[in-house]
Amino acid sequence: NAGVTQTPKFRILKIGQSMTLQCTQDMNHNYMYWYRQDPGMGLKLIYYSVGAGITDKGEVPNGYNVSRSTTEDFPLRLELAAPSQTSVYFCASSYEQGAGKLFFGSGTQLSVL
Amino acid sequence: AQSVTQLGSHVSVSEGALVLLRCNYSSSVPPYLFWYVQYPNQGLQLLLKYTSAATLVKGINGFEAEFKKSETSFHLTKPSAHMSDAAEYFCAVKGGGADGLTFGKGTHLIIQP
């Protein structure tokens, strides 16, 4: 059981570069989320999806884009990376609305220099 | 909007001592509350959740939390700390995109031998 898988685990970007953080889950969950975690700030919701083809903004969406073409995959795209996007990114999924339990990936540590 | 406040960014206890991590919530509706744990370099894992059933909720690894409406609190406790409990602990409340979770800033639990 893989659960939620995120790649890559670490990445260093230069300012202005772009990249995609990959997230895939094998639990057939409809609900998927992207959070960023900054030291001492907890987790902030970037984007979420309630099913294939449906996405919406969370609390901190600026500078990011997402897509959800399949139930399994929910990639996060960074366009024109900025130092403020240096963070740890977590993908999560859940099987029920109301976030009864979130299943988290192991995270992607991103540095923008 | 729902929110949670965790009191104390760092808590240090001796091995075998009581663990008490504090969380207060703000919610306009009866809340669903959660405690998650994050071990180093890992994603978050659910410890326990309150969904308006019993006010004393038992979770994994010997942790429990008590919902007190009069105090708007949901503190996490464990009678006897183990070295393996050293981690970051997050209180969270249902609310946010797709009924995702709004997280507190986290409390780093340090266990002293």
Side-chain angles (χ1 to χ4, degrees):
Chain A
N1 340 321
V4 179
T5 302
Q6 290 183 239
T7 57
K9 293 189 180 301
F10 304 95
R11 184 71 185 269
I12 298 175
L13 285 181
K14 294 182 179 179
I15 294 172
Q17 288 185 320
S18 301
M19 76 163 294
T20 298
L21 281 66
Q22 302 291 344
C23 175
T24 187
Q25 51 93 5
D26 62 359
M27 297 172 283
N28 201 34
H29 289 172
N30 282 325
Y31 304 94
M32 296 189 74
Y33 310 83
W34 273 106
Y35 288 90
R36 60 176 287 171
Q37 182 182 27
D38 300 302
M41 297 302 293
L43 282 77
K44 301 291 186 183
L45 182 64
I46 305 171
Y47 270 96
Y48 66 94
S49 170
V50 301
I54 306 170
T55 63
D56 207 345
K57 297 177 180 179
E59 184 180 357
V60 290
N62 291 344
Y64 308 94
N65 279 300
V66 293
S67 59
R68 185 92 182 272
S69 57
T70 66
T71 299
E72 295 77 20
D73 300 309
F74 190 42
L76 178 71
R77 178 82 177 163
L78 279 71
E79 304 281 2
L80 299 175
S84 61
Q85 293 177 305
T86 293
S87 189
V88 181
Y89 292 84
F90 288 99
C91 179
S93 70
S94 67
Y95 58 87
E96 60 176 320
Q97 192 170 14
K101 176 178 180 179
L102 291 182
F103 293 80
F104 281 83
S106 58
T108 295
Q109 187 171 329
L110 175 67
S111 295
V112 182
L113 305 175
Chain B
Q2 288 80 3
S3 66
V4 290
T5 301
Q6 292 183 241
L7 302 178
S9 58
H10 291 78
V11 170
S12 180
V13 302
S14 299
E15 191 174 18
L18 171 72
V19 175
L20 171 61
L21 303 182
R22 300 177 187 273
C23 174
N24 289 89
Y25 69 89
S26 172
S27 176
S28 57
V29 297
Y32 283 12
L33 293 160
F34 306 80
W35 275 100
Y36 278 80
V37 59
Q38 182 182 29
Y39 298 104
N41 301 315
Q42 295 186 25
L44 281 70
Q45 305 172 34
L46 181 67
L47 268 180
L48 50 83
K49 66 178 182 180
Y50 167 77
T51 57
S52 76
T55 57
L56 182 63
V57 182
K58 294 188 183 298
I60 62 172
N61 300 338
F63 284 94
E64 62 182 34
E66 186 173 8
F67 174 75
K68 291 187 176 180
K69 185 177 179 180
S70 61
E71 299 177 8
T72 62
S73 69
F74 189 58
H75 301 332
L76 182 70
T77 61
K78 182 174 181 178
S80 177
H82 294 169
M83 295 300 292
S84 59
D85 295 328
E88 190 86 14
Y89 291 80
F90 292 93
C91 182
V93 62
K94 171 184 168 180
D99 290 325
L101 299 182
T102 299
F103 288 86
K105 294 184 177 181
T107 297
H108 186 60
L109 178 63
I110 301 163
I111 311 296
Q112 296 182 348

